[in-house]
Amino acid sequence: MSDYLCISIRFLDGAFHGRADYGEPEWPPSPLRIYQAIVAASAAHWNERRGVRHAAPALRWFEELGHPIIVTPTPKRVTATGYLLYVPDNVGDLVGGAWSRGSEAKIGTKRTNKPVYPTLFHDEEAFYYLWPLVGTPDGLTQHGEVLFTAVRSITHVGWGVDLVVADASILDEASAAALPGQRFISSEDGHAGETLRVPQRGTLDDLEHRHHAFLNRINGEGFSPVPPLAAYGLANYCSDTESPRSPRAVFALRQPDGSAFRSFDTARRGLHVAGMLRHAASTPEFSRSVGWSDEETRRIVLGHGEATGQQHQPVQGARLAFLPLPSIEWRGGERKFSVGSIRRVLVTTLGTANRDTFRRFAQQFAGQELIDEKSGEPSALIAHQAESEPVVKPYFCEAASWATVTPVILPGYDDPRKLRQRLQAGNTARLTAEEKTDLLLKLDKRIEFLLRKAIRQAGFSDVLAQHADLEWRSTGFWPGTELASRYAVPEQHRRYRRLHVRITWRSLDGFKIKVSGPICIGGGKFSGLGLFAALDDTI
């Protein structure tokens, strides 16, 4: 069990005006902003206007704590709005000159508008910043009292109008997990989430240098510009309601001569297409051009975490997923948008991958041929394709409701206790209506458990997995899909049940939230089974 240093910030007016780079609203308020507020509060509390001395050891210890978990008001309760302020221009001499010449002039018209975009939320909800204390430098006992006093002296965070009440405490893991709100967690993926500024070693010294420069900006030699703060780090924060963001590339399947699209039946040939893609990426010539060793090819492309000749082990780390993309086509009439044949594919990764390596893979993969296993002849040519094309756009957009275009393979037995045997015709005569209902509820709970497990295994957060609304059945929710049992599946997954699924994503407090694609879950997620497309509300 890990304890956390918790700093809570409660805005008195339910608004935050802080800006990020290029004037964009900053959300959530960055750890650096909290640190700067602590430094300012320290100087004010101990009346050290020209440099922090009393709290300096505690603040330098605080710089070493790393990146905190941030808990904010939930997304539904956060809205950005805007208004204009007008700042008079410094042109009184021009207006006065016009008056002296008998001309008309109004100083009120000489003004510049200043747009203001605060982020609004319910003022009774607090922000929490949680630093895990396991593995951090020793010093809490020595510096805790000074640090807590400084935090409780904070009066505002952001602009001067953003008045706050702050507190600091130590929470155990259970108490930290029970804090209400949306969580933002630091990610090692430099392309994921929001980039926030964080304090690092040397931030306090640079703040003091900048403050000294501000106090002496006007001297006998004139005006000296104040240098910007430079000693800080950047961290990418991902929300627990965001879908995993992995590198991806879309390719078109063309005829071997490149003359037209090459189409494949989704239910019967989708698994075959994924196999041909995997084979093309695993050939020695191609894998060496990407820079993979034989062992890396076995792990990243083929999904073998074990050494050659040993019992199969799942891959720990990044692995390529080859997902055939059935076209979402407009058919008109009652069918509206419908699932068609496979003419494009998506290659992405599950797990944290090196983006430079993936970019090199995508560049090399275009132009490769897909070889039919039986005939040994080229079956299709791989070509670059934009993911903004309408027939594949539903796989990548943001939406609250999603439904499968290929069925989900449950990650386990849905009836390990053989309950369905008790519901067969020959046995039901011995069951009461209540007993039958109880058995059916147990079966449904088992399926629901496995589906939520599949969501977590695909990299989604516990919040998304736990609170999503789930529907499942053998027939599809999308027009054009077939019975779940008709789709070809890998040999090792044939003993597990397949179902079409509809997911409606919800936040902790039950509001619908939009999640971006692609979404692929279940036992066949590396081959395109369990692939979802965003549903229109009218479908």
Side-chain angles (χ1 to χ4, degrees), residues 78-389:
V78 176
T79 55
T81 185
Y83 58 91
L84 289 176
L85 296 178
Y86 290 92
V87 181
D89 293 337
N90 188 18
V91 292
D93 56 333
L94 299 180
V95 176
W99 289 344
S100 67
R101 294 190 297 272
S103 302
E104 291 188 3
K106 295 182 179 180
I107 195 170
T109 61
K110 308 295 185 180
R111 60 185 184 175
T112 300
N113 60 23
K114 180 180 180 180
V116 179
Y117 298 98
T119 302
L120 306 181
F121 42 87
H122 290 296
D123 53 15
E124 70 270 13
E125 297 188 7
F127 295 70
Y128 302 93
Y129 292 76
L130 303 169
W131 284 265
L133 296 176
V134 172
T136 59
D138 295 334
L140 180 62
T141 303
Q142 177 184 356
H143 302 299
E145 182 179 353
V146 171
L147 182 64
F148 284 20
T149 300
V151 169
R152 290 165 184 157
S153 302
I154 294 174
T155 57
H156 55 273
V157 173
W159 289 9
V161 295
D162 295 333
L163 300 179
V164 302
V165 173
D167 195 10
S169 60
I170 302 298
L171 299 182
D172 59 30
E173 191 167 359
S175 299
L179 294 174
Q182 182 182 14
R183 290 175 182 261
F184 290 82
I185 301 173
S186 177
S187 169
E188 294 181 359
D189 187 350
H191 297 262
E194 299 294 330
T195 301
L196 299 179
R197 297 178 179 184
V198 295
Q200 64 180 25
R201 182 182 297 178
T203 298
L204 176 61
D205 294 334
D206 199 26
L207 284 171
E208 290 199 323
H209 172 71
R210 189 166 185 265
H211 181 63
H212 179 77
F214 175 80
L215 295 177
N216 296 279
R217 66 191 184 280
I218 299 177
N219 51 45
E221 298 179 359
F223 175 74
S224 299
V226 180
L229 183 67
Y232 62 86
L234 297 175
N236 288 83
Y237 273 82
C238 292
S239 164
D240 59 5
T241 57
E242 290 183 46
S243 58
R245 299 187 184 183
S246 298
R248 65 194 188 210
V250 177
F251 301 94
L253 300 179
R254 309 289 297 182
Q255 295 287 350
D257 61 3
S259 59
F261 279 106
R262 173 74 163 91
S263 65
F264 295 87
D265 181 80
T266 299
R268 294 159 187 80
R269 298 280 286 171
L271 183 64
H272 182 67
V273 172
M276 289 192 293
L277 291 166
R278 188 171 290 107
H279 173 75
S282 64
T283 60
E285 297 81 6
F286 177 79
S287 59
R288 288 168 190 163
S289 71
V290 179
W292 289 328
S293 65
D294 292 343
E295 180 182 351
E296 289 175 320
T297 301
R298 283 176 50 80
R299 175 172 51 84
I300 297 172
V301 180
L302 301 178
H304 292 287
E306 76 284 357
T308 305
Q310 295 184 355
Q311 184 178 0
H312 176 70
Q313 295 291 333
V315 171
Q316 301 297 325
R319 178 183 169 186
L320 289 179
F322 299 90
L323 313 181
L325 298 179
S327 299
I328 308 297
E329 302 167 340
W330 175 257
R331 299 290 176 83
E334 295 182 358
R335 298 188 72 179
K336 298 183 179 179
F337 285 99
S338 181
V339 177
S341 299
I342 296 167
R343 296 180 181 86
R344 297 159 188 85
V345 298
L346 168 68
V347 182
T348 185
T349 64
L350 296 180
T352 303
N354 184 292
R355 290 181 177 268
D356 291 334
T357 302
F358 185 86
R359 189 179 301 110
R360 187 164 59 250
F361 162 84
Q363 292 172 346
Q364 300 284 354
F365 204 49
Q368 298 295 312
E369 291 182 332
L370 298 187
I371 305 300
D372 185 87
E373 183 181 7
K374 293 183 178 179
S375 66
E377 297 295 325
S379 181
L381 181 69
I382 301 171
H384 278 298
Q385 180 72 54
E387 65 181 50
S388 59
E389 195 175 12

Side-chain angles (χ1 to χ4, degrees), residues 319-473:
R319 178 183 169 186
L320 289 179
F322 299 90
L323 313 181
L325 298 179
S327 299
I328 308 297
E329 302 167 340
W330 175 257
R331 299 290 176 83
E334 295 182 358
R335 298 188 72 179
K336 298 183 179 179
F337 285 99
S338 181
V339 177
S341 299
I342 296 167
R343 296 180 181 86
R344 297 159 188 85
V345 298
L346 168 68
V347 182
T348 185
T349 64
L350 296 180
T352 303
N354 184 292
R355 290 181 177 268
D356 291 334
T357 302
F358 185 86
R359 189 179 301 110
R360 187 164 59 250
F361 162 84
Q363 292 172 346
Q364 300 284 354
F365 204 49
Q368 298 295 312
E369 291 182 332
L370 298 187
I371 305 300
D372 185 87
E373 183 181 7
K374 293 183 178 179
S375 66
E377 297 295 325
S379 181
L381 181 69
I382 301 171
H384 278 298
Q385 180 72 54
E387 65 181 50
S388 59
E389 195 175 12
V391 292
V392 295
K393 192 175 181 179
Y395 295 110
F396 306 105
C397 64
E398 281 192 341
S401 295
W402 295 74
T404 51
V405 296
T406 56
V408 174
I409 302 175
L410 296 180
Y413 291 105
D414 66 315
D415 188 14
R417 298 169 60 186
K418 311 297 183 185
L419 299 181
R420 284 195 180 85
Q421 291 183 4
R422 298 178 61 187
L423 290 170
Q424 291 177 357
N427 300 324
T428 53
R430 297 191 293 271
L431 297 174
T432 64
E434 290 77 9
E435 289 173 329
K436 293 177 185 177
T437 301
D438 183 62
L439 291 176
L440 291 172
L441 286 175
K442 289 181 178 178
L443 288 170
D444 282 348
K445 286 183 178 179
R446 175 64 179 172
I447 293 174
E448 181 181 349
F449 168 79
L450 291 173
L451 288 174
R452 296 192 191 279
K453 176 182 177 181
I455 293 172
R456 291 186 180 93
Q457 289 178 339
F460 292 86
S461 69
D462 286 341
V463 171
L464 288 175
Q466 181 179 352
H467 296 280
D469 290 340
L470 301 176
E471 304 172 59
W472 60 86
R473 63 193 190 195

